[in-house]
Each structure stands twice: as structure tokens, then as C-alpha cells.
Amino acid sequence: MKNFIIGIGGTGAKGLEHLIHACSAGLGPSNLWAGMVDQDEANGNVSRTKILLNKYINLRNSLRDENKHDLAKESDLFKTNITTNNDSVWLPLKGADPTLEEVISYNMLKPEVKGLIDCLYNPEEKKQNLSEGFRARPNIGAAAMLATTSNEDDPFWSQIYKAIDAARGGEEVKVFIISSIFGGTGASGFPNIARRIKQIQREKNVTSNFYLGGALMLPYFNYDVPDENMEGELFARPEEFLDQTKGALEYYAKLFEYDKIFDQVYVTGWDPLAKLPNFKMGGNLQNNPPLFPELYAALGALRFFNSENKINSEQEIFHIGKNESENILWSDIPNVSGSLNSKENLSKLIRFSFAYNWIYGPALTGSWSKIKKYQNENWFKRLVYKYLYNSETKNCEIGHEHNQEIVTLMREYSQDILTWISDMQYSTTVNTEQKMELILSDFFAEIQPKTSSNRILLKEKLSSADRNQFNKLVNDSKNLKLLNLMSNICYKKINREQRGLGVFMDILYRACEE
Amino acid sequence: MKNIFQSIIYSLIGLSTIGWISVLLIIISVSDPGPDAFIVAFFDENIIASENYENLGFESFAEISTNFFTQLFFHMNLTLLLFTLSMTLIWSVASHYLNVDAPGKAKLYFIHWIIFTGAFVAILVGIIWYFTISSVYSTADLIGAGGHFWIFILSLIIYVLSYYVGVLVGTARHLRSSVLFANKLPGGF
């Protein structure tokens, strides 16, 4: 089975961010190709996901190498083999600072067509620089998307063509698109890319084994737009989101009535809307926090990919919401399937990240002369020394450069996970009546609400009082302490197929369950 | 819980490597070794002062050995064995609960182990003193000055060694650095 996911626009990129974290917790399919579509290439959300995707792929490749470091097939950690193109982001309009006028060759159009364009787009929209996205103007985005070709030579579209070819060859192929229904890139890209994919499928006469799914995000956040210096600027206006959504839903209702584009659509919204503290028009400064509803979209995608998901011939539309109260709980997170418990896996990943970042990662970092003080401790002897011992040089090679790279990369990844969950919890509920207490983050993270790039600052070191709060890290009834983790890593059974650092990483991950 | 049961089993196996001597002594003494037994002769020669039973009108220790073995010696060894067993199991079980929450912390508990072991030895000495020197058992008067020394030394060797082997193999894996030489055991053991 082949799986493909496309995140369109800022929301799509953020949906992918959640999905990557869920995949590192073992909730994903065995393989997945991931790509993003955004005209705003420098967008902070897209860049963040792009970096995360590369980290995931690097770390997974390092820890799933049968000859050196292997977590083994049974391990849930980094289970999904995520691949992507050399550049994971597809820019619909290439070239420096394109405008709509240039894209549609406005000056070369016949006068009557020019007149039609003048009716559809005002002068500002026609001259708007599109290098930072479509600024919540789906009418611009739609024209721009349709003006671009989706040929087989394009690295992004070639993946879609390959997918459809694979389906024709008898392999089951699933493609999933995440996007917002409001805004610019997402709203214009979702229907157009989906319809284009469907068109290719029809052109290639593929009638079975190919499934298309999508997650549509209804408005789930807003922000205050500053009064100064905004005159004449095109940007996403939160007060227009609901009207845009209404129009878009009417469009989709008609589209779905007459044409079966999607096999399954997952629709998510949020009320009350999360309030983003910082407004940025686009570019690298638009670095919005991860929000809880996007996790729904990501889990919808994983449910779609799951082998237990039976897809009917009818188009299915699913919607999901949290419980009625103002409290967002672990029980509001749906399971991917009957056998994949999202809460269990995510909480295990969070505990793993904490323990690795502050407890075990630092112990494994540095040269052998620094690390060797642990050589007689059972966990080290059993999980590290034995598996990184070179019988030729008669040395434990944990301090070697290539091993230290993995140790450091895993620490960075752990910090990303802790930042992600802390930021999501804070940013979804800040300035609203809602409460989210999935984890307790106060003791290890400092929140800087006024900055957009480093909202969450993780502490460099933890005091013993901070460490003792580990049992409260995840708000569940497990009461798992760091002592239990230490005990678990000394007793958990090692899989015979595991190699190198894969042994320690998997055992620590498995130790984070009771 | 599974790990604690494993520790208990390892402790019992470790304890039994030396502790079988104690069990043997208990069985011999409770079943009255009889006047011709090797143990009676050994005690007569090394532990018991002949003037002590001669003053009581006996010609040899064999004549009054039944009382000595079935009461004093049996009670003492049984008490020492139960105490050693309890202390070994207490440490092995408690070692799973001591707060080793980070690498390098286990060796900090060496001091706890030393104090616990010191207390164990002190109580062990107290038990031997109670049975052999205090006036609770009248047959204790038969033991000579050199005999007290040998009883103390041999009892300490048997019970302290049993305890040590028991905790050596029974201590929780993550706490092994707190027990002398326990961290030299193979990682998978």
C-alpha cells in the first residue's frame, strides 16, 4: 500500500507537523510520501514543518539501518517511513515575485477577456506580489493554481502520476489533502488540486485501488489586526473567515453533489476560535503556533491511511468535535484505529522526549572520557556498551562522531516534541475560556507570549524538584515516575533484531509505558 | 511487580548458596545430634569449656548436649536465619523503590546500603549475644571464652556471607552500583 499526504497552505503545513509527531509515536502507516503546497515559500509554518520533516527522515534513516543502528520492525518509534522530494514544498507559481497580471499574461489578453478579469479582480489584486502567498484571496489562488501546469515532469506532480500508475498496477494507493477552507492558498488549492488529481485518475482510466481523502479545516482561529500601516495591504482578515467559509461550503456542497471527488472528507472546526497573539501578513514571520484542531486533521489523515479503515463506494464526510465542556481532555483525542490508541502513543512519546532531553540524552552526550563514568551502570552496560562495543578496537564507540550526531539529533527532536505539545496546549486556549491540561509544562517550559519564533523556551537544566514532577507530566492516572523509567529500561526485553543505538532508543521509548 | 518477584527469587537463590549450612545446622540441632555425633565432639573440643560441665557433675559434654542443641543452638540459628532472610529480602524489595531517577544516582545509595548492612551486622551480633552470653539460656554457661569467639566468628561468616550473596544478586538492576561489586555482574543478569 502506498500513502501520500499533501499539506496545502499554512494550515496544511501545520497539519503535517502534527502528523509527523504522530508518526514518530507509531500512529502512522508503514510508508508515507509527504509534500506541501504553498506559494509563500518562506512562510514560517511551512519552514518549520520542512525542517521537522528533514529531521524526522534523517533520524529515522539513522535509527532504521539494519547494519548499524536498528530500532527493529516491531518498534513503534519512527515507525513510518516518510519520504519527500528534494524540496518538499511545491510552489504553484515559480519565478521571482510573480503577480496575477504576469501569471495570466493580462497585457496580452483580448480586450473582452481583460474586461472579464477586471470584473473578477480589482487593481490591487492583479498587482499583488504573490511570493508571500495569496493573502486569503482564494479567487487569486484559484486562478494562479489553474494557470500552472500539472505535468509529469514536475517533481511534485510526478509523485501523483506515480501513485495513480501504482494503483493501475494493482497496488492500493491513498492520497490525503489537508487544508483550511478559509484563507488563500488552502482554500484555492484544496478543490483545485483534488479535482486535478481526480482528472488524472480519470485520464489514466484508474477505477479501483485509488482513494482520495481530505481534511478541511473550518475557521478555528482568529487574531487582532493592528490598525497602523495596513491601508492598501492585502492580507487575511479574520472577520471575513466565516463569510468565506459559508461560500466555500456552498461550493463544496454543490461539488460533492454532482461529482464524487473524495472518498472520505474529515471536517473540523473549533468554537470558540483560538486567538493567536501575533499577526503577520506572511513570510518567515508568519510562524503560527500548532493548534489542537490541526491534530484532528492529522489524526483524520492517519485514520484514512490505516488498514482497518474500510472505504465505501459512497463519499463519506466525517466531522469531529471535543466534549461539551470548556476543558480539552485526552479523551477528546480520537484513536487512529481499534488497535492504535492515540493517547497511549502520544503520551509515551512525550514522556520519552522529556526523559531523553533532560535525563538520558545529556548522559550520552560527549566523549568517552565523559560518558565512561556510567559504564558499570546496568542500563548503560546492557543497552549501550554492549551494542556499541567494537571488538577490534576494544572500545565502546558511543563517543564517536557519527553516534554523537544521532544522540544530538534525537535531543533536538525531543525538544521539538516538547515545544510542540507545550505550544499547542498554551496557544489553543490562551485568551479564551477554554482549558487544556493534557500535560503539565510549567516546570520545564517558559512561555513568551509576545514572541512568534520562540514562544516556548525549554529549560536548559532541571532541578531535582522539577524532575520529581515527571509523574505529573502527562495528565493521566499512570503516575509514572523517572524511577519507574530507570527500572523499566533495566528490565525491558531487547529485541534480537535491534542494533546499536536503536536498542537504547526503543527500550527507553517502551519504558515510558507502565 | 514482576521485577520484584524476580529479585526475591534471585535473593533466595543467592542466600541459599551459603545459607544451606544454617539450614543443615538447624535440622541437626532440632533432631538432637546424639552423643556420638561429629558436631558434639567439635563443640566439646572448641566451644565448650570442660570445667563448666564438670562443675555441674558431668563427665562429658555429650551427656548434656541434647539441651544445648535442641534449645539454645536451634533457637539461635533459626532466629539468625529468619533475620538474615528478612533483611536480605527487605533490601532486595526496597531497592526497587529507592529513587534512582537518573544515570549516576545509584552509587549515591551506597551509603544507604552500608548503613543497612551495618545495622544488620549489629543486630546479628546482638542476637548471638542474647543467646550465648545473656542468662536467658542456662546451657549458655557451658560455653567457654574461646567458644564465644568461635561462635561469633562462624555465625557472622555464615549469615553475613549469606546476606551479601543474597543482596548481591537480588538488588534491583538499576541500584546495583550501590552494592559492593554488584555492578560487576553481567548487564543481562
Side-chain angles (χ1 to χ4, degrees), chain A residues 332-351:
Chain A
D332 290 317
I333 299 179
N335 289 338
V336 171
S337 70
S339 56
L340 276 179
N341 186 318
S342 308
K343 179 198 161 183
E344 290 288 321
N345 287 34
L346 289 175
S347 57
K348 212 155 64 163
L349 183 73
I350 293 163
R351 286 189 172 107

PDB file of all heavy atoms in Angstrom, chain A residues 332-351:
ATOM      1  N   ASP A 332     -10.626  13.620  24.379  1.00  0.00           N
ATOM      2  CA  ASP A 332     -11.077  14.301  23.155  1.00  0.00           C
ATOM      3  C   ASP A 332     -10.222  13.929  21.948  1.00  0.00           C
ATOM      4  O   ASP A 332     -10.517  14.350  20.831  1.00  0.00           O
ATOM      5  CB  ASP A 332     -11.026  15.822  23.352  1.00  0.00           C
ATOM      6  CG  ASP A 332     -12.084  16.306  24.320  1.00  0.00           C
ATOM      7  OD1 ASP A 332     -13.221  15.817  24.212  1.00  0.00           O
ATOM      8  OD2 ASP A 332     -11.779  17.140  25.182  1.00  0.00           O
ATOM      9  N   ILE A 333      -9.156  13.209  22.187  1.00  0.00           N
ATOM     10  CA  ILE A 333      -8.287  12.807  21.074  1.00  0.00           C
ATOM     11  C   ILE A 333      -8.748  11.438  20.570  1.00  0.00           C
ATOM     12  O   ILE A 333      -8.723  10.460  21.318  1.00  0.00           O
ATOM     13  CB  ILE A 333      -6.804  12.759  21.517  1.00  0.00           C
ATOM     14  CG1 ILE A 333      -6.368  14.154  21.978  1.00  0.00           C
ATOM     15  CG2 ILE A 333      -5.907  12.266  20.382  1.00  0.00           C
ATOM     16  CD1 ILE A 333      -4.944  14.249  22.460  1.00  0.00           C
ATOM     17  N   PRO A 334      -9.184  11.377  19.329  1.00  0.00           N
ATOM     18  CA  PRO A 334      -9.712  10.094  18.829  1.00  0.00           C
ATOM     19  C   PRO A 334      -8.598   9.098  18.517  1.00  0.00           C
ATOM     20  O   PRO A 334      -7.461   9.496  18.230  1.00  0.00           O
ATOM     21  CB  PRO A 334     -10.430  10.500  17.538  1.00  0.00           C
ATOM     22  CG  PRO A 334      -9.725  11.730  17.083  1.00  0.00           C
ATOM     23  CD  PRO A 334      -9.220  12.426  18.299  1.00  0.00           C
ATOM     24  N   ASN A 335      -8.931   7.841  18.573  1.00  0.00           N
ATOM     25  CA  ASN A 335      -7.954   6.811  18.218  1.00  0.00           C
ATOM     26  C   ASN A 335      -7.854   6.682  16.704  1.00  0.00           C
ATOM     27  O   ASN A 335      -8.810   6.939  15.989  1.00  0.00           O
ATOM     28  CB  ASN A 335      -8.354   5.465  18.813  1.00  0.00           C
ATOM     29  CG  ASN A 335      -8.175   5.455  20.314  1.00  0.00           C
ATOM     30  OD1 ASN A 335      -7.415   6.247  20.851  1.00  0.00           O
ATOM     31  ND2 ASN A 335      -8.883   4.576  20.989  1.00  0.00           N
ATOM     32  N   VAL A 336      -6.693   6.272  16.242  1.00  0.00           N
ATOM     33  CA  VAL A 336      -6.492   6.099  14.808  1.00  0.00           C
ATOM     34  C   VAL A 336      -7.251   4.861  14.320  1.00  0.00           C
ATOM     35  O   VAL A 336      -7.824   4.851  13.240  1.00  0.00           O
ATOM     36  CB  VAL A 336      -4.979   6.002  14.506  1.00  0.00           C
ATOM     37  CG1 VAL A 336      -4.726   5.600  13.075  1.00  0.00           C
ATOM     38  CG2 VAL A 336      -4.307   7.342  14.795  1.00  0.00           C
ATOM     39  N   SER A 337      -7.247   3.835  15.141  1.00  0.00           N
ATOM     40  CA  SER A 337      -7.990   2.606  14.811  1.00  0.00           C
ATOM     41  C   SER A 337      -8.262   1.859  16.107  1.00  0.00           C
ATOM     42  O   SER A 337      -7.849   2.314  17.182  1.00  0.00           O
ATOM     43  CB  SER A 337      -7.162   1.735  13.859  1.00  0.00           C
ATOM     44  OG  SER A 337      -6.062   1.195  14.557  1.00  0.00           O
ATOM     45  N   GLY A 338      -8.910   0.731  15.966  1.00  0.00           N
ATOM     46  CA  GLY A 338      -9.200  -0.055  17.162  1.00  0.00           C
ATOM     47  C   GLY A 338      -7.942  -0.509  17.891  1.00  0.00           C
ATOM     48  O   GLY A 338      -7.926  -0.676  19.112  1.00  0.00           O
ATOM     49  N   SER A 339      -6.869  -0.678  17.141  1.00  0.00           N
ATOM     50  CA  SER A 339      -5.628  -1.169  17.768  1.00  0.00           C
ATOM     51  C   SER A 339      -4.592  -0.074  17.986  1.00  0.00           C
ATOM     52  O   SER A 339      -3.547  -0.320  18.567  1.00  0.00           O
ATOM     53  CB  SER A 339      -5.025  -2.274  16.895  1.00  0.00           C
ATOM     54  OG  SER A 339      -4.827  -1.786  15.591  1.00  0.00           O
ATOM     55  N   LEU A 340      -4.857   1.135  17.513  1.00  0.00           N
ATOM     56  CA  LEU A 340      -3.884   2.223  17.697  1.00  0.00           C
ATOM     57  C   LEU A 340      -4.482   3.315  18.577  1.00  0.00           C
ATOM     58  O   LEU A 340      -5.295   4.121  18.121  1.00  0.00           O
ATOM     59  CB  LEU A 340      -3.469   2.810  16.351  1.00  0.00           C
ATOM     60  CG  LEU A 340      -2.358   2.106  15.585  1.00  0.00           C
ATOM     61  CD1 LEU A 340      -2.085   2.805  14.275  1.00  0.00           C
ATOM     62  CD2 LEU A 340      -1.078   2.022  16.398  1.00  0.00           C
ATOM     63  N   ASN A 341      -4.046   3.312  19.827  1.00  0.00           N
ATOM     64  CA  ASN A 341      -4.573   4.263  20.795  1.00  0.00           C
ATOM     65  C   ASN A 341      -3.727   5.537  20.759  1.00  0.00           C
ATOM     66  O   ASN A 341      -2.571   5.544  21.165  1.00  0.00           O
ATOM     67  CB  ASN A 341      -4.535   3.608  22.180  1.00  0.00           C
ATOM     68  CG  ASN A 341      -5.192   4.457  23.234  1.00  0.00           C
ATOM     69  OD1 ASN A 341      -5.011   5.668  23.270  1.00  0.00           O
ATOM     70  ND2 ASN A 341      -5.966   3.821  24.089  1.00  0.00           N
ATOM     71  N   SER A 342      -4.327   6.615  20.269  1.00  0.00           N
ATOM     72  CA  SER A 342      -3.585   7.871  20.092  1.00  0.00           C
ATOM     73  C   SER A 342      -3.053   8.394  21.420  1.00  0.00           C
ATOM     74  O   SER A 342      -1.907   8.850  21.509  1.00  0.00           O
ATOM     75  CB  SER A 342      -4.475   8.935  19.467  1.00  0.00           C
ATOM     76  OG  SER A 342      -5.080   8.439  18.320  1.00  0.00           O
ATOM     77  N   LYS A 343      -3.877   8.346  22.431  1.00  0.00           N
ATOM     78  CA  LYS A 343      -3.476   8.884  23.730  1.00  0.00           C
ATOM     79  C   LYS A 343      -2.270   8.131  24.282  1.00  0.00           C
ATOM     80  O   LYS A 343      -1.298   8.735  24.732  1.00  0.00           O
ATOM     81  CB  LYS A 343      -4.648   8.789  24.705  1.00  0.00           C
ATOM     82  CG  LYS A 343      -4.319   9.310  26.071  1.00  0.00           C
ATOM     83  CD  LYS A 343      -5.303   8.818  27.102  1.00  0.00           C
ATOM     84  CE  LYS A 343      -4.692   8.972  28.481  1.00  0.00           C
ATOM     85  NZ  LYS A 343      -5.555   8.447  29.530  1.00  0.00           N
ATOM     86  N   GLU A 344      -2.358   6.804  24.224  1.00  0.00           N
ATOM     87  CA  GLU A 344      -1.270   5.974  24.757  1.00  0.00           C
ATOM     88  C   GLU A 344       0.041   6.301  24.043  1.00  0.00           C
ATOM     89  O   GLU A 344       1.076   6.495  24.676  1.00  0.00           O
ATOM     90  CB  GLU A 344      -1.580   4.486  24.542  1.00  0.00           C
ATOM     91  CG  GLU A 344      -2.703   3.947  25.394  1.00  0.00           C
ATOM     92  CD  GLU A 344      -2.312   3.814  26.846  1.00  0.00           C
ATOM     93  OE1 GLU A 344      -1.180   3.417  27.103  1.00  0.00           O
ATOM     94  OE2 GLU A 344      -3.156   4.138  27.711  1.00  0.00           O
ATOM     95  N   ASN A 345      -0.019   6.344  22.719  1.00  0.00           N
ATOM     96  CA  ASN A 345       1.213   6.536  21.958  1.00  0.00           C
ATOM     97  C   ASN A 345       1.774   7.948  22.111  1.00  0.00           C
ATOM     98  O   ASN A 345       2.984   8.127  22.248  1.00  0.00           O
ATOM     99  CB  ASN A 345       0.977   6.223  20.478  1.00  0.00           C
ATOM    100  CG  ASN A 345       0.842   4.740  20.244  1.00  0.00           C
ATOM    101  OD1 ASN A 345       0.314   4.017  21.082  1.00  0.00           O
ATOM    102  ND2 ASN A 345       1.322   4.265  19.116  1.00  0.00           N
ATOM    103  N   LEU A 346       0.890   8.945  22.090  1.00  0.00           N
ATOM    104  CA  LEU A 346       1.378  10.321  22.209  1.00  0.00           C
ATOM    105  C   LEU A 346       1.941  10.585  23.601  1.00  0.00           C
ATOM    106  O   LEU A 346       2.976  11.233  23.749  1.00  0.00           O
ATOM    107  CB  LEU A 346       0.263  11.323  21.888  1.00  0.00           C
ATOM    108  CG  LEU A 346      -0.150  11.403  20.416  1.00  0.00           C
ATOM    109  CD1 LEU A 346      -1.349  12.329  20.242  1.00  0.00           C
ATOM    110  CD2 LEU A 346       0.996  11.884  19.537  1.00  0.00           C
ATOM    111  N   SER A 347       1.270  10.051  24.616  1.00  0.00           N
ATOM    112  CA  SER A 347       1.774  10.284  25.970  1.00  0.00           C
ATOM    113  C   SER A 347       3.116   9.565  26.169  1.00  0.00           C
ATOM    114  O   SER A 347       4.013  10.069  26.835  1.00  0.00           O
ATOM    115  CB  SER A 347       0.759   9.860  27.036  1.00  0.00           C
ATOM    116  OG  SER A 347       0.413   8.530  26.877  1.00  0.00           O
ATOM    117  N   LYS A 348       3.272   8.438  25.527  1.00  0.00           N
ATOM    118  CA  LYS A 348       4.555   7.714  25.596  1.00  0.00           C
ATOM    119  C   LYS A 348       5.662   8.546  24.928  1.00  0.00           C
ATOM    120  O   LYS A 348       6.773   8.664  25.440  1.00  0.00           O
ATOM    121  CB  LYS A 348       4.393   6.374  24.866  1.00  0.00           C
ATOM    122  CG  LYS A 348       5.217   5.265  25.434  1.00  0.00           C
ATOM    123  CD  LYS A 348       4.663   3.898  25.150  1.00  0.00           C
ATOM    124  CE  LYS A 348       4.586   3.459  23.745  1.00  0.00           C
ATOM    125  NZ  LYS A 348       4.421   2.046  23.525  1.00  0.00           N
ATOM    126  N   LEU A 349       5.318   9.138  23.813  1.00  0.00           N
ATOM    127  CA  LEU A 349       6.296   9.959  23.087  1.00  0.00           C
ATOM    128  C   LEU A 349       6.696  11.185  23.907  1.00  0.00           C
ATOM    129  O   LEU A 349       7.880  11.564  23.941  1.00  0.00           O
ATOM    130  CB  LEU A 349       5.698  10.404  21.743  1.00  0.00           C
ATOM    131  CG  LEU A 349       6.628  11.203  20.843  1.00  0.00           C
ATOM    132  CD1 LEU A 349       7.696  10.306  20.232  1.00  0.00           C
ATOM    133  CD2 LEU A 349       5.850  11.897  19.724  1.00  0.00           C
ATOM    134  N   ILE A 350       5.733  11.786  24.579  1.00  0.00           N
ATOM    135  CA  ILE A 350       6.014  12.982  25.383  1.00  0.00           C
ATOM    136  C   ILE A 350       6.923  12.618  26.559  1.00  0.00           C
ATOM    137  O   ILE A 350       7.907  13.292  26.841  1.00  0.00           O
ATOM    138  CB  ILE A 350       4.688  13.618  25.878  1.00  0.00           C
ATOM    139  CG1 ILE A 350       3.911  14.170  24.676  1.00  0.00           C
ATOM    140  CG2 ILE A 350       4.943  14.715  26.890  1.00  0.00           C
ATOM    141  CD1 ILE A 350       2.445  14.441  24.955  1.00  0.00           C
ATOM    142  N   ARG A 351       6.613  11.514  27.198  1.00  0.00           N
ATOM    143  CA  ARG A 351       7.457  11.069  28.318  1.00  0.00           C
ATOM    144  C   ARG A 351       8.864  10.727  27.831  1.00  0.00           C
ATOM    145  O   ARG A 351       9.867  11.055  28.460  1.00  0.00           O
ATOM    146  CB  ARG A 351       6.830   9.853  29.004  1.00  0.00           C
ATOM    147  CG  ARG A 351       5.635  10.196  29.850  1.00  0.00           C
ATOM    148  CD  ARG A 351       5.199   8.979  30.682  1.00  0.00           C
ATOM    149  NE  ARG A 351       4.171   9.338  31.630  1.00  0.00           N
ATOM    150  CZ  ARG A 351       2.891   8.996  31.514  1.00  0.00           C
ATOM    151  NH1 ARG A 351       2.488   8.299  30.483  1.00  0.00           N
ATOM    152  NH2 ARG A 351       2.013   9.357  32.430  1.00  0.00           N
TER     153      ARG A 351
END
